[in-house]
Structures are given as C-alpha cells and as structure tokens.
Amino acid sequence: ADATGRPIQRSDTVEASSLGAAIAAAKGAGWHRTIAEGVAAMAGKPVRTFEPDPKRAARYAELRAIHAELWPRLADWNRRLSSFAEQA
C-alpha cells in the first residue's frame, strides 16, 4: 500500500499467482470476455485491507521519481551494450 499510495486488499486466495494465470487462461479460452469479468467471477474474497502510511507513501513517491529519471539515462547505454554483445 505504501509503494502505490493506494489501499491494497488481500484476498483469501492461497495461490494468487496461479489464480491469475487461470483467469488469463479462462479469458483466452473465451469463458470470460475480459480479465475484469474473470476476476469478478473467480477471485477470492477480500479478507484484509492495508492502508498506505502517508509518510512512507511520500518516500516511495520520491523513489519513483528517481527511477523515472533512470531509464532515459540508461537507454542509450543499454542499446550500446546490447550491440556490443551481439558482435561477440
């Protein structure tokens, strides 16, 4: 919750990543028209809500701003490194 600045709900689903894959598969198989429809039909019930701590959420927002600056600075370096590796 702190990292997103938004409340986060935990469901009673034990294997959430497997459920996510199953929801995507159900959408792909045509059992549900959208992922949101699959979630509504298949997801577990929320059992706990985590509220963001304003002080920590502000700190994460500051960190996101630093990360947002990082990619443009590294993009050219990554292209050059990839090109170098392909020539090996």
Side-chain angles (χ1 to χ4, degrees), residues 2-22:
D2 294 340
T4 64
R6 300 171 56 177
I8 301 294
Q9 292 184 327
R10 180 176 24 182
S11 76
D12 60 359
T13 302
V14 176
E15 293 291 341
S17 58
S18 297
L19 177 60

Side-chain angles (χ1 to χ4, degrees), residues 29-50:
W31 297 349
H32 298 289
R33 290 180 294 137
T34 65
I35 294 290
E37 187 179 288
V39 168
M42 299 169 69
K45 305 221 181 325
V47 294
R48 184 169 177 197
T49 299
F50 298 88

Side-chain angles (χ1 to χ4, degrees), residues 37-88:
E37 187 179 288
V39 168
M42 299 169 69
K45 305 221 181 325
V47 294
R48 184 169 177 197
T49 299
F50 298 88
E51 297 292 336
D53 174 88
K55 186 175 180 180
R56 290 192 302 251
R59 190 82 170 128
Y60 274 107
E62 186 179 350
L63 181 58
R64 277 194 308 276
I66 293 168
H67 280 212
E69 292 177 23
L70 185 60
W71 176 250
R73 293 181 183 188
L74 289 179
D76 183 57
W77 180 86
N78 281 327
R79 278 190 291 277
R80 289 177 26 228
L81 183 60
S82 178
S83 177
F84 174 80
E86 289 173 359
Q87 295 172 11

